[in-house]
């Protein structure tokens, strides 16, 4: 009977076996093609979830009535209204217990949804419609807001001023994820505050004054 001598795996092989598998590229949920890091998203209005898509599929779902309206492409516009200032009174009327929040309209249930980031992700509440109208409803940004796919991103500053931007909804959830990864203690800690400052700086750099944007 012949025998085989078992050889021990080499050091290089053992090292490769211990290493984590390389991350798989994200793919379009509809056509399966690989998508870049800065890919587009759709909102599934029935599941209220974001879906990764390639550029071609995102353009397809921009067409009115595509997929019966269930999927909507998230726009990439960032807007600000220099003529509409918010202060402490408006912030108090919204009843937000923290310094940063975003609000969007859920078309399926025809209601406003207010969320604010924290250590556990996004905490949801339903703002009072009257308070919303008093604080934001009469502004041009609110009039421009597209249901499900855009949000008003708000931040209260140390001077009791409120910065307000119209942004893609996926940008808001990006902020939620960034803060969740670095949140420490009760108020987030220094790293979370630095992340928040950097995020709002990027948003402000991308935002165009509303008067320069064609009315949708």
């Amino acid at each position: 009977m012949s025998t085989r001598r078992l050889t021990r795996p080499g050091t290089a092989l053992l090292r490769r076996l211990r290493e984590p598998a390389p991350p798989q590229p994200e793919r379009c949920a509809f056509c399966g093609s690989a998508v870049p890091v800065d890919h587009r998203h759709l909102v599934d209005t029935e599941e209220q979830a974001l879906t990764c898509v390639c550029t071609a599929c995102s353009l397809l779902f921009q067409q009115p009535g595509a997929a019966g309206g269930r999927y909507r492409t998230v726009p990439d516009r960032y807007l600000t209204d220099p003529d509409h200032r918010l202060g402490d009174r408006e912030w108090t009327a919204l009843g937000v217990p923290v310094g940063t929040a975003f609000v969007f309209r859920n078309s399926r249930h025809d209601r406003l949804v207010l969320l604010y980031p924290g250590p556990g992700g996004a905490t949801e509440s339903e703002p009072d419609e009257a308070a919303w109208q008093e604080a934001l409803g009469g502004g041009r940004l609110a009039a421009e807001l597209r249901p499900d796919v855009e949000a008003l991103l708000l931040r209260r500053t140390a001077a009791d001023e409120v910065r307000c931007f119209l942004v893609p909804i996926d940008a808001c959830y990006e902020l939620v994820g960034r803060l969740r990864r670095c949140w420490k203690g009760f108020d987030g800690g220094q790293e979370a505050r630095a992340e928040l400052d950097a995020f709002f700086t990027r948003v402000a750099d991308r935002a165009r004054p509303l008067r320069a944007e064609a009315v949708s």
Side-chain angles (χ1 to χ4, degrees):
M1 179 184 295
S2 62
T3 60
R4 291 183 180 179
R5 183 180 177 183
L6 299 178
T7 57
R8 299 178 63 185
T11 304
L13 175 58
L14 287 173
R15 189 183 302 116
R16 289 198 299 271
L17 291 173
R18 294 193 193 104
E19 291 175 352
Q24 296 299 311
E26 290 190 273
R27 296 191 172 276
C28 175
F30 291 90
C31 70
S33 62
V35 295
V37 174
D38 57 345
H39 57 269
R40 304 288 297 273
H41 292 98
L42 302 180
V43 170
D44 182 338
T45 59
E46 291 187 8
E47 300 293 335
Q48 282 300 301
L50 287 170
T51 301
C52 301
V53 290
C54 65
T55 301
C57 288
S58 73
L59 294 174
L60 174 65
F61 286 100
Q62 282 181 352
Q63 305 304 315
R70 173 175 176 174
Y71 297 100
R72 298 181 182 177
T73 300
V74 177
D76 58 0
R77 63 178 186 166
Y78 290 73
L79 300 176
T80 184
D81 184 1
D83 299 327
H84 189 204
R85 300 289 182 179
L86 299 175
D88 186 61
R89 183 176 65 86
E90 290 83 2
W91 186 262
T92 301
L94 284 173
V96 182
V98 293
T100 303
F102 60 97
V103 60
F104 72 95
R105 183 167 290 280
N106 181 313
S107 64
R108 185 181 184 190
H109 299 290
D110 191 27
R111 68 181 181 90
L112 292 170
V113 179
L114 177 70
L115 299 106
Y116 43 92
T123 300
E124 179 179 332
S125 66
E126 187 172 349
D128 180 76
E129 285 280 353
W132 156 263
Q133 290 297 330
E134 178 184 353
L136 296 164
R140 293 190 298 162
L141 286 180
E144 279 285 304
L145 190 65
R146 298 172 184 172
D148 303 308
V149 295
E150 292 180 326
L152 296 185
L153 178 62
L154 309 163
R155 186 185 187 190
R156 186 181 187 181
T157 68
D160 287 337
E161 296 178 346
V162 180
R163 304 183 72 187
C164 180
F165 300 93
L166 186 151
V167 302
I169 191 70
D170 52 6
C172 297
Y173 285 107
E174 176 191 347
L175 175 61
V176 169
R178 287 178 177 273
L179 293 180
R180 184 177 184 179
R181 286 194 296 268
C182 64
W183 194 282
K184 291 181 176 63
F186 177 75
D187 63 353
Q190 184 176 354
E191 186 178 353
R193 289 192 292 273
E195 184 68 60
L196 191 61
D197 289 340
F199 187 88
F200 269 87
T201 296
R202 292 193 296 271
V203 168
D205 288 343
R206 294 190 64 175
R208 290 185 291 174
L210 187 60
R211 59 176 173 267
E213 176 77 7
V215 177
S216 59

